[in-house]
Amino acid sequence: MRLVSEKPDVRVPRLVGLMAVDAAETAHVQGLSLQAPDRPDLRTAVVDHVVRQYPQPGAQVPRESTVYVWFDFGEGEGGGGIREPRVPQPPPGGLRRELAEPDEPPPRRAVLSLP
């Protein structure tokens, strides 16, 4: 005899890349709860971005299931690291050339007159 769940299955949404507040709202709309093993108090991670989730997006789970999300990469899991400052610096000019420094007088401009 096969047991049939009273709760319909739902697809797990993609939460990776979302801020914590948006991920929680997206999960709630689907009828899922969110838990973060690396953040005991999920409410303090409002602007942190989800980097991993389990179950994977698209998985069928019963409504009211828990989706686990992580906001930090684990040891040796990647993350690009910090690549700034860029060396060598970008060439001078462009928008930087157009703006005067705060203590610098505005550049003199030539005025053309028509006869």
Side-chain angles (χ1 to χ4, degrees), residues 60-105:
Q60 292 273 59
V61 296
R63 189 174 300 277
E64 299 177 11
S65 294
T66 300
V67 176
Y68 296 91
V69 294
W70 288 265
F71 297 100
D72 289 326
F73 286 107
E75 193 65 35
E77 286 187 338
I82 298 173
R83 292 190 171 93
E84 294 293 337
R86 295 186 298 176
V87 176
Q89 292 288 330
L95 291 177
R96 184 182 300 171
R97 180 182 62 214
E98 299 296 320
L99 298 174
E101 294 297 321
D103 296 332
E104 190 177 298

Side-chain angles (χ1 to χ4, degrees), residues 43-65:
R43 290 173 289 158
T44 62
V46 174
V47 295
D48 292 344
H49 288 80
V50 176
V51 296
R52 217 173 14 144
Q53 77 178 70
Y54 180 82
Q56 295 297 318
Q60 292 273 59
V61 296
R63 189 174 300 277
E64 299 177 11
S65 294

Side-chain angles (χ1 to χ4, degrees), residues 8-58:
D9 287 349
V10 295
R11 287 195 182 273
V12 176
R14 179 176 173 79
L15 303 174
V16 173
L18 297 178
M19 289 191 305
V21 66
D22 296 330
E25 180 64 27
T26 302
H28 179 72
V29 166
Q30 295 290 333
L32 302 168
S33 64
L34 206 62
Q35 189 170 358
D38 63 344
R39 295 291 193 312
D41 187 10
L42 188 59
R43 290 173 289 158
T44 62
V46 174
V47 295
D48 292 344
H49 288 80
V50 176
V51 296
R52 217 173 14 144
Q53 77 178 70
Y54 180 82
Q56 295 297 318

